Amino acid sequence: MKKAIVFLSLIILSCQNKVSEIEPKIEKNDISFFEPSDLGAFGSPTKLVIYASFDECGEWGGHEESFEIFAKKDLNFYAYYKRTKVDCDKLSEFYGKPEFQQPYISKEIRLSEDNIIAVNNYLSKLINSKIKERSPGHAGQTFGAIKTDSTFLINVYDNNKENLDNYNKLLESFKIEKVNYQ
């Protein structure tokens, strides 16, 4: 009898672990997103900014990327995407100054329903990542999102590869070249 109870307990515990590993995924029929008026459709300067900072130059940082998501008067959402590039060999010239970052890519994109779902999925996974965040020391990657009126803020600083994978999925949805940095 004791063996049966132990066996059932082990099965229940293993099932609980499997359920907790399942990540929520937003589907087309369950889209929740900001209202256009919340992101500037009627003149407000408020935007949702999704950003990433990398550390290919070690503790001096690396390139940066961002999506500024906003709505226009047509009530559609748009994103202005920016990516910089860095030359880590020029650090000695600019030691500690941000001038080693150069604009590389910038473009405006009208968000499709699939893009909005991808943003929602990205933010959901980013929230879970924040809960598991561990400090990487002097060099790490930062992934975050902020609504410029300060009503929404997530900032994750660590070396968890899942964050880069999550960010690359977001880039894929916008048909933007993935970050191949490890």
Side-chain angles (χ1 to χ4, degrees):
M1 184 67 159
K2 286 183 181 180
K3 289 182 181 180
I5 291 173
V6 170
F7 181 72
L8 286 173
S9 297
L10 288 173
I11 290 174
I12 290 170
L13 287 173
S14 68
C15 289
Q16 285 177 340
N17 286 338
K18 297 288 183 200
V19 169
S20 67
E21 291 174 7
I22 298 172
E23 294 183 21
K25 188 165 185 175
I26 298 162
E27 301 293 334
K28 284 187 179 186
N29 59 354
D30 188 29
I31 298 175
S32 296
F33 201 65
F34 298 94
E35 289 293 319
S37 60
D38 290 339
L39 295 180
F42 303 113
S44 164
T46 305
K47 298 175 183 172
L48 173 67
V49 180
I50 296 173
Y51 57 89
S53 300
F54 297 90
D55 62 349
E56 58 263 43
C57 299
E59 65 187 65
W60 289 275
H63 83 279
E64 298 175 350
E65 302 186 21
S66 66
F67 289 89
E68 292 181 6
I69 299 173
F70 56 95
K72 292 185 178 180
K73 290 180 183 179
D74 64 6
L75 304 183
N76 289 304
F77 291 102
Y78 296 83
Y80 182 70
Y81 172 75
K82 293 187 286 188
R83 178 184 286 183
T84 63
K85 66 179 180 176
V86 296
D87 183 350
C88 297
D89 294 332
K90 291 188 177 184
L91 276 173
S92 60
E93 291 176 38
F94 300 114
Y95 190 77
K97 296 180 185 174
E99 285 89 359
F100 75 105
Q101 298 243 6
Q102 300 297 320
Y104 180 57
I105 298 173
S106 62
K107 62 181 178 178
E108 186 175 286
I109 305 161
R110 182 173 177 218
L111 271 63
S112 67
E113 191 173 272
D114 288 338
N115 294 138
I116 291 171
I117 291 169
V119 168
N120 278 349
N121 286 328
Y122 176 77
L123 293 175
S124 294
K125 289 177 183 177
L126 194 63
I127 290 168
N128 287 333
S129 181
K130 181 64 179 177
I131 294 167
K132 298 185 284 185
E133 176 184 44
R134 301 297 178 260
S135 176
H138 293 291
Q141 300 168 5
T142 302
F143 297 91
I146 185 169
K147 200 169 159 202
T148 57
D149 66 359
S150 300
T151 59
F152 182 87
L153 171 65
I154 309 167
N155 190 66
V156 178
Y157 174 64
D158 66 13
N159 280 330
N160 185 345
K161 186 181 178 317
E162 291 175 13
N163 291 322
L164 179 60
D165 294 341
N166 185 29
Y167 186 73
N168 276 330
K169 285 180 188 174
L170 180 65
L171 291 177
E172 252 179 54
S173 83
F174 282 90
K175 295 180 177 36
I176 295 173
E177 181 183 337
K178 291 181 183 183
V179 177
N180 292 318
Y181 170 70
Q182 294 295 333

